[in-house]
Amino acid sequence: MGEQRVGVVGGGILGVAIAREVVRRRPGTEVVVLEKEDRLAAHQTGHNSGVVHAGIYYKPGSLKARLCARGRDLLREFCAEHAIAYDACGKLVVAVDADEMARFDALEQTARANGVPGLRRLAAQEITDVEPHARGLAALHSPETAITDYPAITEALADEVFSAGGGVRLGARVVGIRREGDAVLVQVEGDATPLRFDHVVVAAGLQADRVSALVDGERSPAILPFRGEYLGVAAAKQDLVRGMVYPVPDPRYPFLGVHFTRRVDGSLEVGPNAVLATRREGYRRRDVSAADLRDVLAWPGFWRLAREHWRTGVDEVVGSASKRAFMRSASRYVPDIGVADVTRAGSGVRAQAVDRDGSLVDDFRITRADGVTCVRNAPSPGATSSLAIAAHVMDEVWQPRA
């Protein structure tokens, strides 16, 4: 077997994890990660809440459920090996209203089917044993839900790629991918000559649909960007939450609702909400891209989604504009933290895949065609699952030429 050349488009945690998996599985393979920004982990990886999910929410048997469970274990081991912060501080999913109990019961069944480690159902009086300042009718306690530092993990993964002779090219925006004979040619903006690879993996996050369409012309599912905003809790109140406190999610939506999350630096945040972003990589309200907006408005799935969920969209916009509205829901779970105790903090943008018919793509979606593997959808728990997704790409999706 001759030496293989593999290109990976995307320098988030998933792209770098795939590059690392290639060099681990097939020593001697030359791997190059192509990242359009000037640093790794610049977007979703560097702007999420740092949660390592335990598998509570995902449809049993789905890729999400299977790869989250495996990814969690791999991630914990990786952090231990590389001395990266990993804190199994635990999570409560709390029901505060009687009309939530049917969803709560269904969520417990899902979590147990997924084998969430250490899961316990708590009665109202038991909630304060775990989170003394939380309130509710019942809760699910997931003691193994953890927090970590995903940008640090990405850098450690990249170090392993470098050690194996691979490389990372920053500032490399991919504008073309095509098959030519036995090679896959990748055109980088500004380069006169395309790069030649034996195989290419696209893991482009917020740009996944656009880069994947370079391969096969297929735009679906389209990525719609949703900005998630966070509020930081004042230092005097940060110790009122030991780990994480989440609401019972509405299964009609992929978003988990505003919640309290401890960070590995000791801070405490509330969020995120979910507001349609006016720029794919826009972390501020004033960030607007006419091209990105045109893409959203031109996608038929957006209009079907908007007709069905416009009321929820209005509520999210109100919460974005008003800290009081933002905290109205969160304070039901931890009443001692109110609007006076928070300030606006950072934000992230979620790449939400939407099919042409307006349905939200829930599971991971990975395709392969003509020497190119495309990760078209890898939302939360994508970071948790990253090492397992990388193994899946090698095991089941991409079979390298012998």
Side-chain angles (χ1 to χ4, degrees):
M1 182 187 71
E3 183 178 280
Q4 301 281 294
R5 295 195 78 229
V6 175
V8 180
V9 183
I13 189 171
L14 182 52
V16 182
I18 291 169
R20 178 243 192 187
E21 190 71 11
V22 172
V23 297
R24 290 180 74 219
R25 298 275 193 101
R26 300 179 73 83
T29 300
E30 182 184 353
V31 179
V32 179
V33 177
L34 302 172
E35 167 55 47
K36 68 181 178 64
E37 304 296 351
D38 61 1
R39 65 193 187 283
L40 298 174
H43 292 299
Q44 291 185 109
T45 302
H47 288 84
N48 65 33
S49 60
V51 175
V52 181
H53 290 280
I56 293 175
Y57 307 102
Y58 318 119
K59 182 180 178 181
S62 65
L63 270 181
K64 271 191 176 183
R66 292 188 285 116
L67 298 183
C68 178
R70 179 61 178 145
R72 179 192 66 236
D73 293 342
L74 292 171
L75 203 66
R76 182 179 61 247
E77 294 167 5
F78 184 87
C79 288
E81 291 169 3
H82 293 79
I84 295 171
Y86 185 100
D87 181 5
C89 57
K91 172 166 75 175
L92 286 183
V93 180
V94 182
V96 295
D97 290 330
D99 60 5
E100 293 178 312
M101 292 308 298
R103 284 189 280 131
F104 180 85
D105 292 340
L107 186 66
E108 181 182 12
Q109 292 177 7
T110 295
R112 295 198 182 282
N114 288 338
V116 173
L119 185 76
R120 292 191 300 149
R121 180 175 178 136
L122 306 180
Q125 64 272 20
E126 297 175 301
I127 291 174
T128 52
D129 294 339
V130 177
E131 288 285 357
H133 297 273
R135 300 292 182 270
L137 299 179
L140 293 176
H141 181 216
S142 169
E144 294 301 316
T145 298
I147 50 176
T148 191
D149 184 340
Y150 285 118
I153 292 170
T154 305
E155 292 293 340
L157 290 167
D159 286 343
E160 292 196 12
V161 175
F162 294 138
S163 296
V168 173
R169 182 174 168 187
L170 301 175
R173 181 186 298 272
V174 172
V175 295
I177 303 174
R178 73 181 191 275
R179 188 78 185 184
E180 185 176 284
D182 291 336
V184 181
L185 303 187
V186 176
Q187 186 66 54
V188 173
E189 187 176 63
D191 284 3
T193 304
L195 303 172
R196 297 179 67 88
F197 297 104
D198 296 285
H199 197 97
V200 170
V201 182
V202 174
L206 283 159
Q207 307 293 338
D209 57 340
R210 290 171 173 167
V211 181
S212 297
L214 298 174
V215 178
D216 56 14
E218 178 56 58
R219 174 75 190 282
S220 186
I223 296 298
L224 301 188
F226 283 85
R227 188 175 68 253
E229 300 158 329
Y230 293 88
L231 301 178
V233 177
K237 294 287 186 81
Q238 286 177 359
D239 290 339
L240 297 190
V241 176
R242 295 172 172 175
M244 292 164 258
V245 179
Y246 279 58
V248 179
D250 187 329
R252 294 175 298 173
Y253 307 109
F255 311 108
L256 298 180
V258 171
H259 47 268
F260 291 88
T261 304
R262 183 159 293 284
R263 304 299 296 261
V264 290
D265 64 2
S267 62
L268 181 67
E269 290 184 336
V270 191
N273 56 1
V275 181
L276 185 69
T278 51
R279 181 178 176 180
R280 286 217 184 182
E281 294 156 356
Y283 302 102
R284 300 166 299 181
R285 297 180 199 174
R286 65 177 181 272
D287 291 338
V288 179
S289 163
D292 289 350
L293 280 174
R294 280 197 302 270
D295 273 359
V296 169
L297 298 178
W299 186 243
F302 165 73
W303 295 104
R304 296 181 179 119
L305 180 70
R307 281 195 298 271
E308 184 175 353
H309 300 302
W310 67 270
R311 288 183 179 85
T312 300
V314 170
D315 290 342
E316 293 289 341
V317 170
V318 171
S320 173
S322 165
K323 286 196 301 179
R324 187 170 301 279
F326 194 106
M327 288 299 297
R328 189 176 298 129
S329 172
S331 294
R332 299 167 71 206
Y333 302 92
V334 185
D336 292 337
I337 299 178
V339 66
D341 304 312
V342 297
T343 55
R344 295 197 180 275
S347 65
V349 179
R350 174 190 174 112
Q352 177 56 54
V354 179
D355 275 326
R356 193 174 295 275
D357 64 1
S359 59
L360 298 166
V361 180
D362 183 58
D363 208 358
F364 300 145
R365 187 173 293 184
I366 306 170
T367 61
R368 180 183 184 276
D370 218 13
V372 183
T373 299
C374 296
V375 182
R376 294 180 182 266
N377 187 49
S380 180
T384 300
S385 309
S386 55
L387 300 184
I389 295 173
H392 173 78
V393 167
M394 289 292 291
D395 289 339
E396 300 183 36
V397 180
W398 174 37
Q399 296 297 327
R401 188 175 66 229

